[in-house]
Amino acid sequence: MSTKPKSPARPPSSAVEDYLERILGLINTKGYARVVDIAQSLDISQASVTNMVQRLDAEGLLNYEKYRGLVLTPAGEALAKNITHRHELLTDFLKLLGLDDAVIYHDVEGMEHHISPPTLRAIEALTAHLTRQPSLLARVREQLDAN
Amino acid sequence: MSTKPKSPARPPSSAVEDYLERILGLINTKGYARVVDIAQSLDISQASVTNMVQRLDAEGLLNYEKYRGLVLTPAGEALAKNITHRHELLTDFLKLLGLDDAVIYHDVEGMEHHISPPTLRAIEALTAHLTRQPSLLARVREQLDAN
DNA sequence: AATCTAATTTAGGCTTACCTAACTTTATTG
DNA sequence: CAATAAAGTTAGGTAAGCCTAAATTAGATT
Ligand SMILES: [Mn+2]
Ligand SMILES: [Mn+2]
Ligand SMILES: [Mn+2]
Ligand SMILES: [Mn+2]
């Protein structure tokens, strides 16, 4: 059987992607993701996190037991890994250009939600090739530092 | 005297940037931007456009005369030119990678709102240098076409 | 000038995604 | 094991951005 389409199945919102990305990150580093952890990590109130977690449960992206905890479903984990991949690839690309880490983080956190698969693949390929062209990168950074 | 800060002066939302960008575009191509033009062009209802236009007037980004028309203020025009610049630069960059026009348009329309000045300058410099490296670009596109 | 039509505005609603304050449940600890 | 503290939930709100339907205004047509 195929996965059941809850509705027309809109693409996940930026907020949903950010929650899933962070939940996966917390699970990978702490072993679990409690409401209070997610709230601190995203700088959002616990009440808002509870609300979103219940919604993600209803949408089949995670299993949530009230007052207990949560685990990502296969669908939720797939989305989480996907957004994480976009985040990492964009970060790698911008690092090549010698940008400040804080700037990179801020911009990536927004842009990651608007990159389609073809664009992602293109930037991935470009990043790989640029890594083998330190001379070109050096010239780019040189021009940037000159202002 | 300086321009008056209406409030803490948050950065313009993506919606505000999209409206301003489109209004400037319509003025540049048709000479004017009526509510009905903006609505058609953004595929948003006329009622929503009226609402936003009144808000942009209140925020000092354009001057609106009810039932008549609108003109961008210097502040609104500056913002409009700025977002337009981000749009064009990102488009130029992605065009280098040989992506489909529709994909480029879609992704740029989202990403343009999340690019800080340093990142924009870096991509600008990279685009300039890549333009002089057709061989590298050819290799990148080659790898992309191979899947 | 009265009428018809296109453009615009207003009124009333909806959804997403956040908030604070108050309450409940679970975990810790003396 | 009762009391306190921490975590989580619920209730009630807000603001941005959108919508449709029902006025209203302006411009064009007879
Ligand atoms: Mn993000
Ligand atoms: Mn991210
Ligand atoms: Mn846009
Ligand atoms: Mn744009």
Side-chain angles (χ1 to χ4, degrees), chain B residues 24-107:
Chain B
L24 179 61
L26 285 167
I27 288 176
N28 283 342
T29 62
K30 306 188 56 167
Y32 54 86
R34 292 173 309 171
V35 166
V36 68
D37 300 320
I38 302 167
Q40 271 183 23
S41 183
L42 289 176
D43 194 26
I44 282 172
S45 76
Q46 291 183 197
S48 296
V49 172
T50 293
N51 206 273
M52 177 62 88
V53 159
Q54 288 174 348
R55 170 181 151 194
L56 296 177
D57 177 294
E59 289 177 7
L61 298 175
L62 52 79
N63 291 323
Y64 185 54
E65 273 191 90
K66 243 186 193 177
Y67 293 106
R68 294 306 181 165
L70 58 88
V71 289
L72 292 171
T73 62
E77 192 178 326
L79 281 181
K81 283 179 174 166
N82 185 279
I83 179 66
T84 300
H85 185 226
R86 273 174 279 155
H87 184 113
E88 290 172 353
L89 227 46
L90 276 176
T91 299
D92 290 348
F93 169 60
L94 293 185
K95 269 191 195 297
L96 283 183
L97 304 180
L99 290 159
D100 178 73
D101 281 354
V103 169
I104 292 178
Y105 184 78
H106 173 271
D107 289 8

Side-chain angles (χ1 to χ4, degrees), chain A residues 27-47:
Chain A
I27 290 176
N28 283 342
T29 61
K30 306 187 57 166
Y32 53 87
R34 292 173 308 170
V35 166
V36 67
D37 299 321
I38 302 166
Q40 271 182 24
S41 183
L42 289 177
D43 195 24
I44 282 171
S45 76
Q46 290 183 197

Side-chain angles (χ1 to χ4, degrees), chain A residues 10 13 15 19 44-45 47-48 55 67-68:
Chain A
R10 285 156 300 181
S13 68
Y19 273 94
I44 282 171
S45 76
S48 297
R55 171 181 151 193
Y67 295 105
R68 291 305 178 168

Side-chain angles (χ1 to χ4, degrees), chain A residues 18 109 112-113:
Chain A
D18 283 338
E109 207 43 64
E112 62 185 1
H113 309 289

